[in-house]
DNA sequence: GGCTAAGCGAGACGGTACGTCCCGTCTTTGC
DNA sequence: GCAAAGACGGGACGTACCGTCTCGCTTAGCC
């Protein structure tokens, strides 16, 4: 419904308005590059060059690669926001959560995590803007889930997302619909055995 | 008994032998630096400078910062190796595992993970040389653990280590003896409530 | 009587007239900055910022720093124009010429010369608008000077202004009333010895 | 006769020796570029790129374009050093001085002067390392010159070099053998008229 | 004991990216 | 229509590390 983050009814700022074209070019190019070069090889210079954008524009609006990644995630989240809020049952929630980790999203998450681990400022931002929302969403689901074999909700959240990140970061196993269902089943005491 | 890693009884190689002093200086300096600069600011140049060592020496023997980190972990592990193999009960295992994450070790693990996430070659090495050993150790403990509420062992391992890394990487909560005991209790169906 | 340079009696152009306040602000700020930063540190952006003026305004009316400098010189010259045209005797002419090189004027001249040397377009403009007028003025004086020891007038002009610029640009010696008198005396064969 | 500036009999420094090839490439490239782009368009980046040299190498050994220009002049001077020291008569001295101002040398001198005028540190260096040597050389010649119409030697030096720089910087007239002879003749009271 | 062979500190080197500054242009709003 | 505000693509700045490459010196085993 909203056009712009900071839009109210104030009378439009002076000066040349921010270029939506450049914004798009940067986000798209970053996504492209992260798929080609795999997170580590990403560079402000490379993005600027490929996107046909000045470096300053990037530094000004995003401050660095992490800012771009966060915005990509934000965009990605806002597209699928209805799904998650409507989910009620744990199995479906985990299934769709894991399924939403498309290859490009995985790369973004990995790159973001790699930076956040080394930079406490970014870590805080990342936790507040992304991690906590996911925890809250899961929390809502858990509150309606019957028969969890572990009663401590916070612990369950840590276990579930820990599981996800552990597998994601180290490529230790599948993360898909089936795995989501399976994890949910185990946590609900409905393990196959 | 010899210091040389790959020494057997072959007749001692020709030429000047590797300097143990340099080896120590590099490892110690790296540990120092990672505590001062927090992982991100670590640099081959900085280590070489502070350790009074040629850059070439580092590239030759360790190949980069990750090699140094891995060796530090290896040394650290070999000191406390008896403890872990002797542990039988899950609570003690998790307690001592979490407790072994002293601040410097945490920084090393974080720095290593940050690199491994972006570099699949390193990731593979890291998983094979470190992650898998820990999984194996936990596996041994689990096999003797009675009454796990989740039967799938591999899943439990993912959950436990996922929990640990998730909290470690994002500073999301305590990781100490008490938390280890608590997690074990929950997994064994002995949750406080 | 109007401030506009190129106004005659044509019927006042349409639209908002050029802002005299901005013009003054730019010229004054440029003079301030050249005294603070010494020529090299001068920037369109800095002038615009400090003068509270849009960059576009500067580009439109002056085209760059050199245009501003030239206008400052023009203003400066128009204030003292009577003096020079009234001078008849070489000693007085040189004395007042050298004396007119106040510190701010020196900086402007240096900055202008530094640009002109590297930019042939500017050089031409500078020579036509400034250098040639000074040569002409000196020429008028010389024609009335008795007993010059060098007969070739053009050569004398080159020597005199060469002397001035050489000392000015490289800070190689005083340039004041006394030095003007002294130079004149030597050229007139009245050297102290 | 000498191989190296700072060579004595000290036992050769440790570490990789400075690359003569890079030194040459930088000097030659700078000379090329100054002829193509004309002084103002010269850039450390452009030199580094065209010379196939790292920027740091330039910053380390020369500190900037001015350092390069000074070294080019030094090399140029050392090639023709015998000529000037052997000259005894003013006419020949001025003739060969002016004649030595080949187009590339002119560009170097202009570029150097343009920088020196705006940067007092460089100005001092330029004066000490270049200007003063030329003044000293002229001084030696003047001391043997009979019948100078201006007795004050320092003044003559200022006049002569002022003449040269004035014409050089502003392209105000020829600077060649004939002009040197002519100037000398006038200063010696042998003007054509 | 002299020879050969590493290992090592030092440090120069060609590169690449950093984050900043300014250029000159363009596009708004507001007077 | 002029001007301030300010976003923009571009390009150079000077710095920091990268990983490689000589150097001279040291320290060993081997003939």
């Amino acid at each position: 419904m909203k056009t712009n983050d900071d839009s109210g009814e104030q009378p439009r700022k002076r000066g040349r308005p921010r270029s939506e074209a450049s914004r798009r070019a940067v986000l798209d190019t970053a996504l492209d590059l992260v798929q080609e070069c795999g997170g580590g090889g990403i560079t402000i210079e490379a993005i600027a060059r490929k996107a046909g954008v000045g470096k300053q524009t990037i530094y000004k609006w995003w401050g660095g690669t992490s800012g771009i990644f966060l915005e990509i995630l934000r965009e990605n989240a806002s597209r699928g926001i209805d799904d998650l809020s409507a989910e009620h049952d744990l199995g479906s929630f985990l299934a769709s959560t894991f399924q939403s980790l498309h290859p490009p999203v995985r790369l973004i998450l990995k790159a973001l995590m790699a930076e956040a681990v080394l930079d406490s400022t970014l870590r805080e931002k990342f936790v507040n803007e992304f991690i906590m929302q996911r925890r809250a969403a899961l929390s809502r689901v858990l509150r309606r889930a019957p028969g969890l074999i572990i009663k401590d909700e916070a612990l369950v959240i840590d276990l579930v997302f820990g599981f996800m990140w552990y597998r994601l970061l180290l490529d230790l196993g599948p993360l898909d619909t089936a795995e989501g269902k399976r994890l949910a089943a185990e946590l609900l005491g409905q393990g196959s055995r």
Side-chain angles (χ1 to χ4, degrees), chain A residues 62-67 70 111-128:
Chain A
W62 292 279
T65 50
S66 55
L70 277 173
L112 211 33
M113 183 62 107
E115 280 190 71
V117 160
L118 299 176
D119 171 1
S120 64
T121 305
L122 172 58
R123 195 198 58 227
E124 214 160 324
K125 210 181 165 194
F126 180 45
V127 167
N128 290 334

Side-chain angles (χ1 to χ4, degrees), chain A residues 89-100:
Chain A
D89 116 61
L90 182 61
S92 313
F93 178 85
L94 293 186
S96 80
T97 295
F98 290 177
Q99 197 189 10
S100 75

Side-chain angles (χ1 to χ4, degrees), chain A residues 2-13 18 61:
Chain A
K2 55 180 159 46
T3 341
N4 199 337
D5 283 80
D6 53 335
S7 74
E9 50 264 38
Q10 75 266 39
R12 196 71 167 285
K13 279 177 304 182
R18 178 172 177 185
W61 296 108

Side-chain angles (χ1 to χ4, degrees), chain A residues 17-30:
Chain A
R18 178 172 177 185
S19 157
E20 175 61 18
S22 291
R23 200 185 73 93
R24 269 263 61 79
V26 167
L27 296 179
D28 293 349
T29 305

Side-chain angles (χ1 to χ4, degrees), chain A residues 173-193:
Chain A
L175 272 179
D176 51 18
T177 305
E179 209 61 19
K181 297 277 185 200
R182 200 168 72 88
L183 176 57
E186 292 282 0
L187 290 174
L188 295 170
Q190 305 157 354
S192 52
R193 208 169 345 164

Side-chain angles (χ1 to χ4, degrees), chain A residues 38-163:
Chain A
I42 244 181
T43 298
I44 297 288
E45 291 227 338
I47 298 174
R49 206 180 311 134
K50 218 187 153 198
V53 145
K55 285 201 289 176
Q56 288 249 317
T57 304
I58 298 183
Y59 283 113
K60 169 165 199 182
W61 296 108
W62 292 279
T65 50
S66 55
I68 302 178
F69 293 151
L70 277 173
E71 182 154 349
I72 293 178
L73 284 187
R74 225 175 291 134
E75 276 204 336
N76 193 65
S78 72
R79 274 206 308 272
I81 203 159
D82 313 35
D83 310 10
L84 291 180
S85 61
E87 301 292 347
H88 290 308
D89 116 61
L90 182 61
S92 313
F93 178 85
L94 293 186
S96 80
T97 295
F98 290 177
Q99 197 189 10
S100 75
L101 301 174
H102 314 104
V105 176
R106 287 180 183 230
L107 290 168
I108 297 284
L109 288 174
K110 283 166 136 186
L112 211 33
M113 183 62 107
E115 280 190 71
V117 160
L118 299 176
D119 171 1
S120 64
T121 305
L122 172 58
R123 195 198 58 227
E124 214 160 324
K125 210 181 165 194
F126 180 45
V127 167
N128 290 334
E129 292 190 16
F130 184 81
I131 297 293
M132 283 311 181
Q133 291 182 4
R134 296 325 191 100
R135 292 178 70 94
L138 175 55
S139 176
R140 260 174 273 126
V141 173
L142 286 180
R143 260 193 275 277
R144 289 171 192 153
L148 274 173
I149 59 177
I150 296 177
K151 299 304 178 196
D152 184 335
E153 187 194 288
L155 184 61
V156 175
I157 296 178
D158 283 344
L159 285 170
V160 167
F161 283 127
F163 171 89

